[in-house]
Amino acid sequence: MEKSRVLIVGGTGYLGKRLVKASLAEGHETYVLHRPEIGVDIEKVQLLLSFKEQGAHLISGTFNDHQSLVNAVKLVDVVICAVSGVHIRSHHILLQLKLIDAIKEAGNIKRFLPSEFGTDPARMAHALEPGRVTFDDKMVVRKAIEEANIPFTYVSANCFAGYFLGGLCQPGLILPSKESVVLYGDGNTKAIYVEEDDIARYAIKSIDDPRTLNKTVYIRPPKNILSQREVVQIWEKHIGKELNKSSISEQQLLASLEGQSYAEQVGLIHYYHVCFEGCLTNFEIGEGGVEACQLYPEINYTTVEQYMKRYV
C-alpha cells in the first residue's frame, strides 16, 4: 500500500520534532508547517534545516492565514497536529479549530490526528478546576472534528516519560534525586509511562491503519504500567541506594494549589487525577478504542527500567 503524505503542524516542538523523525523513518513523504516570521530563533531554523536535509518539505503557513493552511493541507493525505497543550509551556489547543476549518475547505484529508497525546479527555468530564481546561478544550476540538465528518485518530499516550519519570513522578522536577522522594499517598496508584520517541512511532504507525480509523489509540506498554513506588524502586536499584520517603495526602496536594500560578495549578490537578485517582488505568478499553502495543508488537518500546538508566 502506498504510504500517505503527512503534514505535521507544530513540528519543531517537544513532541512534534519526534513525529517528523518517525514519519520520515517510516518512509512517508513528510511536510512540516512553519511560521514565516521565525525571526532570529536560530535553534528553530537549524532544526527545520535538519528536517530538510533528512528529506522533509518545509511549508510556510500560520494559523492567522487561512489560505496558507488550506494550501498546505491540500498537499497531503494526513494531518498531525502537535501544538502544545501544556500550560507550563504554552496552551494552544483551540487554535486547531482554524486548522479544522482549513481541512474542511480542502476536502482531501484521509486522517487527522489532533494534538492529544495525554490523558483521554473523553474520560475526564469530572476533572477538577482549573486542570479540566485542558480536557475541555480538547473535547471542543473533538466535537468540531466529528461534526465536520473528518476522519480521525485520537492518540492517548498517558504520561510523557521525560516529565514524569525524570522527577520520580514529582511535579516541577525532571531529574531524579539520589536522596529523597515525596510519594502521593501510599505511592501505589498505577500510571502509564511512555517514552516520547515511542509515542511518535506508535502515532505514525496508526495513520494508514484501518483498525485505528475513527478510534482512540491508547498506548499502554505492559512493562510501563507501574505505581510511583515501583518507579522509585527501579531508580533505587539503579543507584544502589534507598531514598528517604515522605508522603503527601490528597488534601495536602489540593491545599497546596493556593498561591500557585495558574499554570502550576493546572499541572498539579493533572498529577492529582493521575497519581491519586488512577485515571489512566481505572478503565478497560472499550469498542471505541484500540491498544497500540497489541496492534504493533514489532515496536520494541523503551521500558521504565531502560529509561531510568540514563540518569545514573
Side-chain angles (χ1 to χ4, degrees):
M1 186 178 72
E2 186 176 349
K3 289 181 179 287
S4 290
R5 298 164 299 169
V6 180
L7 172 67
I8 296 174
V9 180
T12 59
Y14 183 65
L15 183 62
K17 61 188 177 185
R18 293 171 165 87
L19 288 163
V20 174
K21 176 183 173 184
S23 179
L24 290 168
E26 280 292 311
H28 292 278
E29 187 174 347
T30 304
Y31 294 76
V32 182
L33 189 75
H34 69 88
R35 293 192 301 269
E37 66 282 359
I38 292 177
V40 292
D41 190 340
I42 188 65
E43 290 184 350
K44 186 170 288 186
V45 170
Q46 290 179 345
L47 181 59
L48 287 166
L49 291 175
S50 74
F51 292 157
K52 186 177 180 182
E53 288 173 353
Q54 295 169 58
H57 306 281
L58 305 183
I59 303 296
S60 178
T62 172
F63 285 110
N64 295 323
D65 182 349
H66 173 73
Q67 193 57 48
S68 72
L69 293 179
V70 173
N71 293 344
V73 167
K74 283 183 175 179
L75 295 170
V76 300
D77 309 297
V78 172
V79 177
I80 305 176
C81 190
V83 295
S84 176
V86 181
H87 280 75
I88 57 171
R89 295 171 70 92
S90 57
H91 183 76
H92 297 310
I93 294 300
L94 292 181
L95 278 178
Q96 294 178 102
L97 297 176
K98 296 183 177 182
L99 184 57
I100 290 167
D101 286 340
I103 291 171
K104 285 194 293 188
E105 182 172 329
N108 61 298
I109 292 305
K110 298 176 183 177
R111 195 82 64 98
F112 177 39
L113 278 65
S115 184
E116 296 232 350
F117 306 110
T119 305
D120 181 1
R123 297 185 178 275
M124 298 305 294
H126 64 287
L128 300 180
E129 296 282 5
R132 65 173 299 122
V133 65
T134 305
F135 313 120
D136 290 344
D137 284 358
K138 288 180 177 180
M139 289 306 294
V140 169
V141 172
R142 284 193 181 192
K143 184 172 184 285
I145 292 168
E146 293 169 27
E147 286 183 348
N149 292 316
I150 296 169
F152 64 83
T153 296
Y154 304 138
V155 178
S156 176
N158 301 296
C159 296
F160 282 23
Y163 280 101
F164 277 80
L165 294 179
L168 301 177
C169 312
Q170 300 169 103
L173 299 176
I174 54 174
L175 286 173
S177 170
K178 294 185 178 180
E179 303 299 329
S180 62
V181 64
V182 178
L183 298 175
Y184 287 99
D186 59 13
N188 290 327
T189 301
K190 298 280 188 180
I192 306 170
Y193 311 95
V194 189
E195 201 270 342
E196 290 83 344
D197 288 328
D198 291 341
I199 294 172
R201 292 164 70 199
Y202 284 117
I204 294 299
K205 279 283 189 184
S206 76
I207 62 178
D208 282 333
D209 189 341
R211 298 172 296 177
T212 65
L213 179 62
N214 297 336
K215 299 275 180 123
T216 298
V217 175
Y218 296 93
I219 307 177
R220 289 182 164 186
K223 294 182 180 179
N224 292 1
I225 303 174
L226 302 168
S227 67
Q228 182 190 15
R229 186 177 290 276
E230 288 170 322
V231 170
V232 171
Q233 289 170 346
I234 288 170
W235 176 238
E236 289 174 331
K237 188 174 79 171
H238 281 322
I239 63 174
K241 178 184 178 182
E242 189 170 335
L243 303 185
N244 294 318
K245 299 177 185 69
S246 58
S247 67
I248 183 172
S249 69
E250 293 184 48
Q251 294 75 21
Q252 288 172 320
L253 177 66
L254 294 175
S256 74
L257 295 175
E258 189 173 349
Q260 303 272 10
S261 71
Y262 179 78
E264 289 169 330
Q265 289 182 35
V266 169
L268 285 171
I269 290 299
H270 293 177
Y271 272 85
Y272 167 81
H273 286 295
V274 169
C275 298
F276 281 112
E277 181 186 294
C279 66
L280 304 179
T281 58
N282 64 2
F283 64 92
E284 297 296 324
I285 297 172
E287 288 185 7
V290 288
E291 201 288 308
C293 299
Q294 294 178 9
L295 293 181
Y296 314 114
E298 68 274 15
I299 292 181
N300 293 314
Y301 65 84
T302 302
T303 66
V304 172
E305 182 100 23
Q306 293 165 338
Y307 190 88
M308 295 302 293
K309 284 182 182 177
R310 69 188 64 190
Y311 297 110
V312 176

